[in-house]
Amino acid sequence: MTQPPVRYNRDTDIALICIENPPVNAIGQAVRAGLMDCLDRFADDAAARIAVIYCAGRTFVAGADIKEFGKPPSAPFLPDVIGKIEALEKPVLCVMHGTALGGGLELALGAHYRLGLPGLRVGLPETSLGILPGAGGTQRLPRLVGMDAALDIITSARHLPAQEALDLGILDELAPVGADPAAAGRVMAQALLDRGAGPRRVCDPPAPRIGADQLADIRARTQARYKGQIAQLTAIDAAVEGAAMPFHDGMRHERALFTKLMQSPQRAALIHAFLAERKVVQLPELAGVRARDFGQIGVVGGGRMGSGIAVASLLAGLDVTMIERDAQSAMLARENVAQTLGESVKRGKLTDEARTHILAQQFRAAESYSALASCDLIIEAVFEDMDIKRDVFTQLDRHCKSGAILATNTSYLDIPQIAAMTARPADVLGLHFFSPAHIMRLLEIVVPETTAPDVVATGFAFGKKLGKVSVRAGVCDGFIGNRILQVYRAASDHMVLAGASPYEVDRAVTEFGFPMGPYAVQDLAGLDIGFMTRQRKAASRDPREFVARWADVMHARGWHGRKTGQGYYTYDTDSPKGRPAADVEAIIAAERLEHGITPRAFSADEIIARYMAAMVNEAARVVGEGIAARPLDVDVTLLHGYGFPRWRGGAMHWADTQGLRELLAQIETYAGEAPYFWQEAPLLRQLAQENRSFADLNT
Ligand code: TC6
């Protein structure tokens, strides 16, 4: 018989209410109902003088059950459960370990006393899921910590360490290191009984108010930081407007705003992103496959990418041996790594002592492949040239131990060809990091057909250890992300040729929610990079493909983007973020003239419609060809590597909200103008005809 998710026991006069709902003790309907029963039992149990609520397993309650969102709500509701705890005439103590998040922290705020275990993190991350703390969080937290601190916690969605929670008064006490939730709860409960402590309700004192100027300032800052999102401002409304009402009216107001957000497309998109990030590593091919050991990492090449990969590995506690071509380059590589680690010190992520320790104990730079002999996983990050890669992989194959995994960080070279350069193609795969590699969370794990399953599993285990979001990608030019990027960039060029300005495109795209538009991004990456890509592809390009020649003209003038102070934008001391460059429009106009094109106007809506249609169409091709395992893999890639606005969920989720039939019809219209570019993806056509969505493929 399965155990109920909430259990009631009594130890002399202390009632112990234990929640056990693996993996993270989310409060679903069964937990809410179980809590209601246990609270009734406690109220009726004359021998019980105090109750301790705690959790079994790795964490306290990590929140309401996200998987229930979007379904019809079922009683009992969480605010009622928490209200019942708060109203009890006998004291209730909540003991938290692991994480107490969202509805979990709100549950604890309804208790009369709160104890934290060391290592606890608390927070109200609901706004990051497009909702607000709808179980009293916006009403109780301000009463406990003040309005300013509460608004910061609610809008930032951040996780507070236990000490900060104690300092703010969210916790009454912190248990000693090594304490167990039930035992620590019993000790504190006994102490409360000994001093005759009764119920102490957070809802009793009046809510703090905030001045109009301060509120306006907080709202303006929040709006700027969470551009386009509605949950943060709505949560501020719930807290501030609720504070002007009696507690129970404030609770009703919070509920009304919560319900509104729960129905919003932003909530659906953000929950999709959350679940997709977890599902992306769940691949049937890896079920039951054990990863190999990877304690010792080798990195070939100490440039920006190699150093970033080394630092990401070092920060994850792994040992790293980096090799460079000679002693001087090895010394420079060491300096690069030391400097990159120094950035982590500046950002407060690492102490200076820890940095010194890491450099002395975990890292070494060498100039010979033999230094990699004991490494388990070696990642090559050298120049993108097949001859250079051949030399590297031949050497790696010769010097690395049997069973060692050889990975390439190439962005576009043919990985099966690289694997075939070795006598161990089953041990070779692509680990495509994004720059700066110690900061960007995306890792594309590129899997040629020859790669052994345990090598793929090791790639995923390594990504997890580094805190990356790892996505499986098949072999093609650009893998998932860069392949799609090439196409929506090309769609922008088509629009610019037809009359839109690059600045109109960038503006529309940033208003849609991307941090930068495609032309500003090209300036950042360097227009020389784009030039090299065009050169590389020239030989295999279909003559029907349109390639913007204005980009070559700009490159020939030495305009390489930010690094030269001139690209699509001019960067100088007056405008460090760039202003439209004087001649760009004229260079583009000359090309239109050559094509006999009379420029026409594009609205921001049309720009986005075409930009997104191109993105979705290519993404559908990528899924249809099996390059991405599922549509959600594309979404996660675009969210973490390409600045896709999280609150829109990713290109495939967005496409579903628009309707695939509508998108297909749009593409058919565009194909009238540029049939080669706007060929519809077979998968998009199929799903549209069958009236299905991309989400149907996210199994
Ligand atoms: C809320 O509380 C609203 C309240 C108002 C109501 C009126 N529900 O992340 P992991 C699953 S909103 C259901 O890999 P970790 C997750 O999908 C909520 N399931 O573990 C995964 O399942 P899978 C506010 C959840 O150790 C498994 O648990 N709370 C929930 O790396 C393991 O997850 C939050 O926003 C959930 N709430 O990190 C916190 N949470 O194996 C959300 C997780 O089937 N959770 N799962 O794929 C987290 O931030 C992290 O999960 C963590 C643990 C830090 C708790």
Side-chain angles (χ1 to χ4, degrees):
M1 211 177 79
T2 51
Q3 284 213 62
V6 190
R7 297 188 295 277
Y8 182 90
N9 281 299
R10 185 162 45 72
D11 180 2
T12 61
D13 47 4
I14 300 174
L16 295 164
I17 299 177
C18 176
I19 302 172
E20 184 166 16
N21 185 29
V24 295
N25 289 315
I27 307 195
Q29 195 278 337
V31 174
R32 296 194 298 272
L35 275 169
M36 281 301 212
D37 286 348
C38 291
L39 294 172
D40 284 338
R41 276 184 74 177
F42 170 55
D44 295 344
D45 186 346
R49 295 167 59 213
I50 187 168
V52 177
I53 300 179
Y54 70 101
C55 285
R58 69 192 214 220
T59 180
F60 188 71
V61 173
D65 187 344
I66 288 172
K67 289 164 189 160
E68 285 183 353
F69 292 180
K71 299 179 185 157
S74 54
F77 304 115
L78 189 54
D80 299 334
V81 178
I82 296 171
K84 185 163 181 146
I85 295 173
E86 191 168 51
L88 281 166
E89 295 300 333
K90 297 188 274 190
V92 178
L93 164 68
C94 222
V95 185
M96 292 170 273
H97 72 290
T99 44
L101 300 172
L105 179 57
E106 293 179 285
L107 179 79
L109 294 178
H112 307 126
Y113 300 93
R114 284 163 294 280
L115 171 66
L117 263 56
L120 171 73
R121 288 178 300 139
V122 305
L124 293 177
E126 286 93 334
T127 53
S128 68
L129 298 171
I131 52 173
L132 56 74
T138 66
Q139 307 304 301
R140 290 192 180 91
L141 191 64
R143 286 173 161 83
L144 200 57
V145 303
M147 190 58 87
D148 216 8
L151 293 185
D152 165 55
I153 292 168
I154 292 169
T155 56
S156 71
R158 71 191 172 92
H159 296 183
L160 284 63
Q163 187 59 49
E164 188 181 355
L166 184 70
D167 295 344
L168 280 170
I170 294 173
L171 297 178
D172 295 300
E173 285 181 26
L174 208 48
V177 176
D180 145 271
R186 262 194 227 103
V187 172
M188 182 163 166
Q190 191 57 56
L192 287 167
L193 287 178
D194 291 348
R195 67 169 211 251
R200 184 198 56 175
R201 300 182 180 91
V202 174
C203 69
D204 281 345
R209 300 296 188 86
I210 190 166
D213 288 350
Q214 196 189 353
L215 178 60
D217 182 49
I218 291 175
R219 286 186 66 89
R221 274 191 282 124
T222 306
Q223 198 156 16
R225 181 155 179 211
Y226 303 100
K227 209 176 128 212
Q229 300 189 49
I230 53 175
Q232 290 77 7
L233 289 177
T234 312
I236 293 177
D237 290 345
V240 174
E241 292 165 6
M245 304 172 186
F247 177 74
H248 289 288
D249 291 347
M251 286 293 290
R252 269 192 289 278
H253 187 51
E254 176 192 88
R255 192 73 187 163
L257 294 177
F258 171 82
T259 308
K260 203 171 97 193
L261 288 178
M262 192 54 114
Q263 287 152 3
S264 79
Q266 293 195 4
R267 190 274 306 157
L270 287 160
I271 299 280
H272 165 72
F274 177 90
L275 294 175
E277 280 160 7
R278 280 147 187 86
K279 231 174 168 178
V280 79
V281 294
Q282 295 166 8
L283 295 165
E285 73 192 73
L286 298 183
V289 180
R290 264 194 63 183
R292 298 184 190 173
D293 289 339
F294 57 89
Q296 306 256 356
I297 304 298
V299 178
V300 185
R304 186 169 163 71
M305 188 52 100
S307 311
I309 295 170
V311 167
S313 309
L314 291 168
L315 291 174
L318 301 169
D319 286 344
V320 176
T321 303
M322 173 178 273
I323 61 157
E324 260 292 354
R325 73 188 88 109
D326 52 41
Q328 201 192 348
S329 308
M331 210 174 69
L332 278 175
R334 186 180 184 84
E335 278 169 23
N336 278 346
V337 169
Q339 197 189 338
T340 312
L341 278 172
E343 288 166 21
S344 297
V345 176
K346 273 193 212 132
R347 289 205 318 275
K349 302 263 177 212
L350 197 69
T351 63
D352 213 21
E353 299 77 66
R355 171 178 174 261
T356 310
H357 179 85
I358 287 173
L359 279 171
Q361 303 298 322
Q362 286 172 242
F363 180 73
R364 70 178 175 136
E367 58 201 272
S368 153
Y369 280 90
S370 56
L372 301 174
S374 62
C375 288
D376 306 303
L377 166 62
I378 301 94
I379 305 156
E380 160 280 309
V382 300
F383 193 67
E384 292 279 56
D385 177 288
M386 211 40 139
D387 289 335
I388 299 178
K389 306 275 186 197
R390 182 183 318 281
D391 183 46
V392 169
F393 276 84
T394 310
Q395 296 282 358
L396 288 177
D397 200 17
R398 188 174 307 148
H399 289 95
C400 294
K401 68 183 180 189
S402 154
I405 295 173
L406 310 183
T408 171
N409 178 54
T410 183
S411 302
Y412 55 80
L413 292 176
D414 186 48
I415 299 178
Q417 201 184 327
I418 293 176
M421 293 166 183
T422 72
R424 50 173 109 189
D427 293 345
V428 177
L429 84 172
L431 292 178
H432 183 215
F433 286 84
F434 288 70
S435 189
H438 59 298
I439 292 178
M440 292 287 285
R441 285 195 71 205
L442 181 64
L443 175 65
E444 278 179 312
I445 298 185
V446 191
V447 184
E449 276 177 10
T450 44
T451 308
D454 65 337
V455 170
V456 184
T458 312
F460 276 94
F462 175 62
K464 184 170 181 197
K465 181 86 182 159
L466 266 52
K468 302 289 177 204
V469 180
S470 305
V471 179
R472 185 199 194 283
V475 174
C476 69
D477 194 320
F479 315 134
I480 299 176
N482 283 349
R483 173 166 160 184
I484 299 171
L485 167 77
Q486 294 294 334
V487 175
Y488 60 82
R489 266 197 192 157
S492 308
D493 286 347
H494 277 267
M495 289 189 272
V496 168
L497 184 71
S501 88
Y503 314 111
E504 285 170 338
V505 174
D506 277 359
R507 205 174 312 123
V509 168
T510 49
E511 273 165 17
F512 181 79
F514 283 87
M516 293 170 97
Y519 296 102
V521 171
Q522 287 178 65
D523 271 3
L524 186 66
L527 299 190
D528 49 332
I529 304 288
F531 178 76
M532 283 191 298
T533 307
R534 287 192 296 281
Q535 296 285 96
R536 174 172 64 83
K537 291 190 166 180
S540 58
R541 182 175 297 134
D542 189 295
R544 290 168 295 176
E545 189 180 325
F546 165 67
V547 183
R549 275 207 315 281
W550 66 76
D552 292 341
V553 175
M554 290 165 66
H555 178 261
R557 289 190 186 186
W559 299 357
H560 292 182
R562 271 181 189 251
K563 57 186 153 196
T564 59
Q566 176 80 15
Y568 285 95
Y569 296 83
T570 299
Y571 306 87
D572 53 24
T573 41
D574 290 342
S575 47
K577 290 187 176 164
R579 62 174 184 279
D583 284 354
V584 168
E585 301 257 33
I587 296 172
I588 295 168
E591 191 164 340
R592 288 188 194 123
L593 208 60
E594 278 175 38
H595 288 276
I597 292 170
T598 309
R600 71 172 180 88
F602 279 79
S603 68
D605 284 350
E606 182 176 3
I607 290 171
I608 289 303
R610 287 172 181 257
Y611 194 75
M612 290 303 301
M615 192 184 298
V616 171
N617 198 37
E618 188 62 15
R621 229 185 282 283
V622 160
V623 175
E625 292 171 17
I627 299 298
R630 299 146 296 191
L632 67 86
D633 299 67
V634 171
D635 284 344
V636 171
T637 303
L638 295 176
L639 291 173
H640 287 284
Y642 298 83
F644 196 100
R646 188 176 175 85
W647 50 275
R648 293 193 189 269
M652 308 309 251
H653 176 86
W654 178 88
D656 280 348
T657 65
Q658 305 299 300
L660 301 191
R661 283 174 177 228
E662 288 71 11
L663 269 168
L664 184 68
Q666 263 176 22
I667 290 172
E668 284 167 349
T669 315
Y670 304 151
E673 303 157 15
Y676 178 74
F677 180 71
W678 287 108
Q679 294 174 61
E680 76 232 5
L683 180 65
L684 178 61
R685 169 161 291 283
Q686 185 194 334
L687 290 174
Q689 279 171 346
E690 293 170 359
N691 210 11
R692 294 167 71 207
S693 65
F694 287 122
D696 293 337
L697 307 182
N698 282 336
T699 49

